[in-house]
Amino acid sequence: MKFYSIIFLSALVIISSRSYCQTGRNVSAKNFIEAKILDTANAASLAYANIFNLNTKRGTISNDEGFIRIEINSPEDTLDVSYIGYAVRHIAAHEIKDAGIIFLKRNPVLLKEATVVADASSFLYDMLSACKKPSASKKKTAKTYFELETFKDSTQIELIVCYYNGHFTGYNVNEPEFKTGRLALAEIDGKLFVSTESSKAIYMLTLFDDNDNFPKNPFQLKKKAFREYYQLSLAEKYKDEKSNVIYVIDFFPRSDAGIFFNGRVWIDSLKNEIIKINLKAENALRHPFLPLWTTDSLKRVDLEITETFNEIDGTMFFNHVDYNYTIQYKSRNDSVYEITTKAVLYAYDYRNNFPLPHFQFSDFKNTDYRKIIAVPYNRFFWEHNDEYKLNDKKNRNEQFFTKKEVINNIRFTEDAQKSFRIGFFERPYLIWNGARIHFAYTLGDSTNAISKDDLKKTPAERYNLKVQLYMDVNLYHDSLNILTATVFDPFQSYYHFPFDTLADCFLNLYFDVMEIERREFEKEIHEQKLSIELINDAYQRKIKENESISRSYFSSVERGNNRKELLKWNEHVFEELRIDNCKLFNQYDK
C-alpha cells in the first residue's frame, strides 16, 4: 500500500475504547427540518448559508449544495435564514416542512456594475486600506466543527471530521484544542491520499499578515504596493438588514505570477470591516502542501477559500471558512492524479465550550490524523451528541465512514496496521489492548542512540517512560458518559539502553501496571456515581497516585536488573490481567 500526503506527516495506530454511561434517561428523539436554500432569481444553491432557530438558540450552515438539516422543538419554531448579499428571511418551521425549499432574495443593488481604475478614482483603494485589523487582545473561544472530504474524480477517498474548542483573534483562527474526531480512507489504484494537517493549513491563513504558505492578498500590502500590484473593480453595493451600505469589490493582480490571490471582498463601508472574502489562486506557487516522497511532486495547485465574519461584542470574529483545493500529484512512476479536497471550518457556538479530554499531546508531529488515532473512538459522542454537523440528503459521509472496505479509526485489518507502520505513520501513541509492544517499534532507533554524554549519566537519567491516563467526560441531557484509556506516549519516552527482551519485559510490565490503575480508577468513579466536578477531582488525585506508583516501579525494578522485584511486579500483573510477561519475554531462565 502506497501513501501520498498533501500536507504534513503523522501516525496511525490501533484503536481500543472503553467507556461506560451513567444514565438518568435516554437521550430524547429529535425533530428535524430538512431543506435546500436557493436564490429566488435563478434557483442556484446557496452554499454555507446560515440558519438559526430562535426557539432552541441553535444554528447551522448549509452544505456546498445548499442543503440544511436543523433541529426544531415544534412546527411553530421561528428560523432566521441569512446569506451575505441576501435579505434575511424569518420563516416558521411548518412553512418549510412541506416545500423543502427556502428561497432568499438578493438585497437591492444600489449601483450597477462599474469598473473603477486607479487613475480615475482612489476611493476603493482607500476603502480596502481602511479596513480594520482587530485588536490582538480581543480573543474568543467557540465550539468549532471541521470537515474535510477528498475525491479522485467523483470517488470519495478521504473523510476527516473533528470537533474543537476553536480560539479566534478577530478574523484569524488560532490553533484549536482537539475534542474528538473520526477519519476514513479508501484505496484507489492501491494508493492512499491523506490530508494529515488540513486544519493547520486553515489556521495558517491570515488576512493581514503575509506568510510564505499562501499567495498574497490586498490586505497584506501597504498602500503603495497595493496600488502597484492590484486593480480593483466595484461589482455592486447594497444595504443590509441594518441599513448599512455594503460594498462588493473585486480585486485582480496585475501580473499572473502565481503569488497573488484574486477575489472578491464584502466591506461594511460604515465600520470599515470585512464581512466576507473570497480568495482564488490558479496554479498557485505559494501553498501549504507537500508531497510525501521527495521523488514525487505537485504539478499544480488551485486554491479557492471563502471566509465569513460576524460582529461579536463590537469586534469582527471568524464565522466560517470553506477551503477548496485541487492538486495534480505526480508520483515517482510518473502517474499523475488530480485530487480535489473540500474542507469547512465553522465556529458554531461562541457561548459554550467543550469539556476537553484529559490528555496532553506533544507538540512534535501532532497532526489531525495523529490526534484522532491517539485516543479511543468515542461511540457515545458520535451516536448521541446533538452538536452541529454538515448534512446532505444522502448522508454520504456516514455511508463512506461505515463502508467495510475503508480504513477508519474504529477498525483496522492486520494488513492495514502493518502497512501504516512502514515509514509513514511511525512512532504512534499506543492504547493498551492486551497486545505486547516492543521498544524497537514503539520508540525507534533514534531514541536508542547511546552517546558519550549518556554514559556519564546515572541509569535513571538515561530513560523515561511516559504513560498517560486518557479521560473524556460527556454529558448530553441526563446521560453521562466517561471514556478512559491507558496510552503509551512515544514523544515523552526514551530509552538509551539496548533494546533486548529484558527491556521489552520491563516496558510491558509498566504499561500493564498503569492499565490496572486505570481499571481501578474507572471502577471507583462508576461505583460512586460522581458528578462531573468530582470525577475531575478524582482524576487529578489518580494522576498524582500514578506518578507515585511509577516512581516505585522504576526504582524497585531497576530496568529489570532487580530480579526479585521484577518477579514481584510480574505476579501482580498476572493476578489482575492474567498476563505473564516474564514467560512471554523468556525471563524465568535467566
Side-chain angles (χ1 to χ4, degrees):
M1 188 181 296
K2 295 182 180 178
F3 300 88
Y4 294 88
S5 173
I6 51 180
I7 304 193
F8 303 104
L9 309 182
S10 75
L12 218 59
V13 299
I14 307 167
I15 288 299
S16 173
S17 62
R18 308 170 181 89
S19 63
Y20 70 88
C21 292
Q22 298 175 4
T23 307
R25 62 178 176 84
N26 293 330
V27 178
S28 59
K30 306 290 184 184
N31 293 313
F32 292 92
I33 289 290
E34 294 182 347
K36 288 195 76 170
I37 302 178
L38 305 178
D39 185 320
T40 301
N42 57 18
S45 299
L46 298 180
Y48 310 115
N50 286 280
I51 183 166
F52 186 77
N53 188 325
L54 297 177
N55 296 77
T56 65
K57 304 301 181 184
R58 299 181 72 87
T60 185
I61 58 175
S62 61
N63 71 356
D64 61 333
E65 297 177 345
F67 180 84
I68 62 99
R69 186 171 185 261
I70 189 168
E71 178 191 343
I72 62 168
N73 282 340
S74 81
E76 303 305 317
D77 284 6
T78 300
L79 307 174
D80 273 7
V81 188
S82 62
Y83 190 81
I84 292 174
Y86 290 73
V88 176
R89 185 171 179 189
H90 309 284
I91 185 170
H94 67 81
E95 296 179 64
I96 301 171
K97 201 162 190 177
D98 295 331
I101 295 175
I102 304 171
F103 284 107
L104 295 185
K105 294 181 179 180
R106 292 182 65 86
N107 283 307
V109 176
L110 301 178
L111 180 69
K112 295 295 183 182
E113 184 174 335
T115 299
V116 182
V117 296
D119 293 337
S121 174
S122 65
F123 83 98
L124 294 183
Y125 290 90
D126 293 339
M127 181 175 292
L128 265 68
S129 298
C131 285
K132 300 173 183 176
K133 181 177 180 179
S135 170
S137 63
K138 294 186 177 181
K139 299 179 181 179
K140 285 190 177 292
T141 302
K143 285 184 176 180
T144 302
Y145 176 83
F146 172 68
E147 177 181 299
L148 177 144
E149 302 170 299
T150 301
F151 300 84
K152 181 185 180 295
D153 301 324
S154 60
T155 302
Q156 186 169 1
I157 56 177
E158 181 183 30
L159 171 68
I160 303 174
V161 179
C162 294
Y163 289 90
Y164 301 96
N165 278 342
H167 301 292
F168 305 94
T169 304
Y171 298 116
N172 292 337
V173 181
N174 304 320
E175 185 168 3
E177 292 182 282
F178 181 78
K179 168 61 177 177
T180 192
R182 67 198 309 190
L183 66 86
L185 292 167
E187 288 185 52
I188 191 159
D189 298 335
K191 303 172 181 65
L192 295 173
F193 291 84
V194 297
S195 309
T196 60
E197 196 59 279
S198 281
S199 67
K200 184 172 183 178
I202 289 175
Y203 66 73
M204 286 166 62
L205 175 66
T206 57
L207 283 182
F208 292 92
D209 302 310
D210 185 25
N211 68 64
D212 294 333
N213 297 296
F214 290 95
K216 296 177 183 289
N217 75 73
F219 299 100
Q220 295 167 339
L221 301 174
K222 293 185 178 180
K223 199 169 185 179
K224 183 178 179 181
F226 179 17
R227 289 175 178 269
E228 179 181 350
Y229 291 116
Y230 274 99
Q231 178 180 343
L232 303 183
S233 171
L234 178 60
E236 63 182 44
K237 65 177 181 178
Y238 63 88
K239 285 187 177 180
D240 67 10
E241 67 276 8
K242 297 178 181 179
S243 295
N244 294 336
V245 177
I246 308 300
Y247 278 74
V248 184
I249 302 169
D250 291 329
F251 48 90
F252 313 91
R254 297 184 186 275
S255 65
D256 187 19
I259 59 171
F260 295 99
F261 276 121
N262 68 79
R264 174 172 287 191
V265 61
W266 287 251
I267 295 176
D268 186 325
S269 61
L270 178 64
K271 299 179 180 179
N272 294 324
E273 291 173 334
I274 303 167
I275 59 175
K276 181 178 179 179
I277 188 168
N278 174 257
L279 302 166
K280 296 180 181 179
E282 295 182 353
N283 201 14
L285 299 182
R286 300 170 65 174
H287 55 76
F289 310 121
L290 295 171
L292 171 57
W293 311 109
T294 56
T295 52
D296 296 350
S297 61
L298 306 183
K299 304 299 292 182
R300 181 185 174 98
V301 175
D302 296 335
L303 295 166
E304 181 171 5
I305 303 168
T306 301
E307 293 189 278
T308 63
F309 310 97
N310 288 334
E311 185 177 293
I312 303 175
D313 299 331
T315 299
M316 296 301 290
F317 280 95
F318 174 90
N319 173 248
H320 107 279
V321 57
D322 52 287
Y323 186 106
N324 303 323
Y325 49 90
T326 299
I327 294 176
Q328 289 183 358
Y329 194 109
K330 184 178 180 181
S331 69
R332 67 188 76 182
N333 62 2
D334 291 330
S335 298
V336 177
Y337 298 87
E338 185 164 286
I339 306 299
T340 300
T341 296
K342 301 187 295 183
V344 174
L345 188 75
Y346 175 40
Y348 64 93
D349 189 351
Y350 272 96
R351 297 166 304 180
N352 301 293
N353 298 157
F354 282 117
L356 295 174
H358 293 272
F359 193 80
Q360 293 181 344
F361 288 105
S362 301
D363 292 335
F364 177 67
K365 282 190 176 180
N366 277 306
T367 62
D368 294 326
Y369 266 62
R370 190 181 291 276
K371 288 179 179 178
I372 292 171
I373 302 302
V375 300
Y377 182 82
N378 194 329
R379 293 182 182 275
F380 178 87
F381 182 93
W382 294 104
E383 292 174 4
H384 299 296
N385 84 81
D386 55 359
E387 300 297 335
Y388 166 79
K389 68 176 180 179
L390 277 179
N391 291 281
D392 63 83
K393 196 71 175 177
K394 296 180 180 179
N395 209 3
R396 181 183 64 226
N397 283 338
E398 193 66 32
Q399 292 177 9
F400 178 72
F401 184 79
T402 55
K403 279 185 177 180
K404 291 183 179 179
E405 61 268 28
V406 306
I407 301 169
N408 65 29
N409 59 312
I410 298 179
R411 61 177 186 269
F412 294 100
T413 65
E414 190 63 31
D415 288 342
Q417 292 172 25
K418 292 176 182 177
S419 298
F420 275 110
R421 291 175 181 178
I422 299 173
F424 183 55
F425 295 110
E426 72 278 3
R427 292 186 69 192
Y429 290 96
L430 293 174
I431 298 174
W432 193 96
N433 65 356
R436 300 297 84 189
I437 61 176
H438 300 272
F439 267 122
Y441 163 60
T442 306
L443 295 182
D445 293 337
S446 62
T447 60
N448 185 232
I450 303 172
S451 67
K452 291 182 180 179
D453 289 337
D454 287 325
L455 298 176
K456 298 176 183 178
K457 298 176 182 177
T458 66
E461 294 173 325
R462 290 172 57 183
Y463 75 92
N464 183 65
L465 301 184
K466 178 66 175 179
V467 172
Q468 294 197 51
L469 173 59
Y470 171 89
M471 183 179 76
D472 189 20
V473 180
N474 292 285
L475 176 64
Y476 288 101
H477 300 276
D478 290 337
S479 295
L480 178 64
N481 174 263
I482 304 166
L483 178 64
T484 67
T486 306
V487 184
F488 182 84
D489 186 336
F491 298 103
Q492 298 187 60
S493 300
Y494 55 88
Y495 192 80
H496 296 165
F497 293 95
F499 288 167
D500 54 19
T501 55
L502 178 58
D504 284 339
C505 183
F506 171 63
L507 166 64
N508 281 275
L509 268 176
Y510 176 56
F511 203 9
D512 292 342
V513 167
M514 291 296 98
E515 168 64 11
I516 293 168
E517 295 305 314
R518 182 202 67 80
R519 295 183 183 192
E520 291 182 357
F521 169 69
E522 190 173 272
K523 182 180 178 182
E524 172 194 343
I525 56 179
H526 176 64
E527 291 178 345
Q528 296 182 22
K529 296 183 179 180
L530 302 175
S531 66
I532 292 178
E533 292 77 11
L534 291 177
I535 290 171
N536 288 329
D537 289 343
Y539 176 87
Q540 297 302 328
R541 291 195 300 272
K542 188 60 184 175
I543 293 302
K544 292 181 179 179
E545 183 180 340
N546 282 357
E547 290 173 353
S548 176
I549 293 170
S550 298
R551 288 192 296 270
S552 176
Y553 174 79
F554 295 144
S555 62
S556 64
V557 173
E558 297 176 1
R559 296 182 296 106
N561 293 317
N562 188 324
R563 309 294 296 180
K564 180 179 179 181
E565 289 296 319
L566 182 74
L567 294 172
K568 176 181 173 183
W569 285 93
N570 186 73
E571 183 180 355
H572 169 61
V573 168
F574 184 76
E575 288 176 355
E576 297 294 331
L577 303 178
R578 311 311 294 176
I579 296 173
D580 190 338
N581 282 288
C582 285
K583 181 178 181 180
L584 291 171
F585 293 102
N586 300 314
Q587 294 303 308
Y588 283 122
D589 297 332
K590 296 185 179 182

